[in-house]
Amino acid sequence: MAVLLEGGDRKGLLHDMTAAILRHGGDIVLVEIIERGTRSVVYWELDGIDDPEGLMESFLEIDVVESLQRLPTMYQVWGKRIIVVGAGAQVGQVAIGAIGEADRHNIRGEKISVDTIPIVGEADLASAVRAVARLPRAVAVVLAGSLMGGEVTKAVDEIRARGILVVSLNMAGSAPEHADLVVTDPVQAGVMAVMAIASTASFDIARVRGHHF
């Protein structure tokens, strides 16, 4: 379940909310503090709640909580995420392929969203790649540039070890040799990234992992 709580703010508010979740047997999947200060807006995604109605009553018993909304989860709304990082021209072309292919699958009931960040510089690129493993619902990253290596390559190894699929354009540097899939055409790279994560596709990344296209 997902719930949005609105009201006032004070010290210890999150403690009181998590205590209510614990009393109802819940596990916290995601929490986001949307507003804080004089007002508080907190979004929770929870699993294992044994009495959803009782939990909502417990939330409303907290002194500063004024209202709540039960909502669909972010996964239900936005689905799996593909993150495209790199130089602007290549990022734009990858996005064309990824968005077009995602639309084809989303029409058939899939939920896939595409996020992009045009960014240059080894340190910034490495930070962006590493951050993909910390993004909710992110399952794949496309490296869209003309040269990536060094710290970016280390970041690729780290996120692959955490289960993130890495698709790379065929570029200079060592990063492509550490990716799951290397594709020369940026539009096709976007298409294949979506096909690799879509449950409505018959594409099997295990059969082509390490190949260049």
Side-chain angles (χ1 to χ4, degrees):
M1 64 178 292
V3 60
L4 186 75
L5 305 177
E6 299 186 59
D9 197 5
R10 61 166 170 77
K11 291 183 179 180
L13 177 58
L14 285 179
H15 175 274
D16 292 346
M17 291 179 178
T18 55
I21 294 166
L22 179 62
R23 288 197 303 271
H24 291 274
D27 288 326
I28 298 169
V29 178
L30 176 69
V31 58
E32 183 174 357
I33 301 172
I34 300 172
E35 293 182 29
R36 61 170 303 178
T38 56
R39 295 282 300 169
S40 171
V41 180
V42 184
Y43 171 79
W44 298 91
E45 289 190 6
L46 308 167
D47 194 15
I49 301 297
D50 51 26
D51 180 12
E53 296 298 325
L55 174 61
M56 289 189 284
E57 291 176 6
S58 295
F59 278 147
L60 290 172
E61 289 171 359
I62 298 172
D63 58 342
V64 295
V65 174
E66 298 172 1
S67 65
L68 63 80
Q69 300 177 62
R70 189 166 177 180
L71 303 169
T73 67
M74 291 295 186
Y75 187 88
Q76 291 170 319
V77 175
W78 293 100
K80 306 168 189 173
R81 297 171 72 184
I82 292 176
I83 315 298
V84 187
V85 301
Q90 290 96 328
V91 165
Q93 291 300 299
V94 171
I96 289 172
I99 293 169
E101 183 69 9
D103 182 65
R104 188 170 72 87
H105 291 282
N106 290 349
I107 287 172
R108 295 154 61 190
E110 182 72 80
K111 289 289 181 67
I112 296 171
S113 54
V114 180
D115 298 282
T116 65
I117 179 167
I119 191 169
V120 296
E122 182 180 336
D124 287 340
L125 280 166
S127 294
V129 171
R130 288 189 172 101
V132 173
R134 304 194 300 271
L135 291 174
R137 308 180 321 282
V139 296
V141 61
V142 182
L143 307 177
S146 56
L147 171 62
M148 294 188 193
E151 280 299 313
V152 179
T153 300
K154 294 178 183 178
V156 167
D157 290 338
E158 291 169 18
I159 67 169
R160 285 190 65 207
R162 299 183 64 177
I164 302 294
L165 174 72
V166 178
V167 177
S168 174
L169 296 188
N170 192 7
M171 67 177 86
S174 58
E177 297 305 317
H178 291 247
D180 292 287
L181 189 64
V182 179
V183 184
T184 300
D185 180 75
V187 174
Q188 186 67 14
V191 170
M192 294 182 78
V194 171
M195 291 173 62
I197 68 166
S199 59
T200 49
S202 57
F203 182 76
D204 184 0
I205 186 64
R207 299 182 63 180
V208 295
R209 181 170 276 113
H211 288 205
H212 288 228
F213 294 91

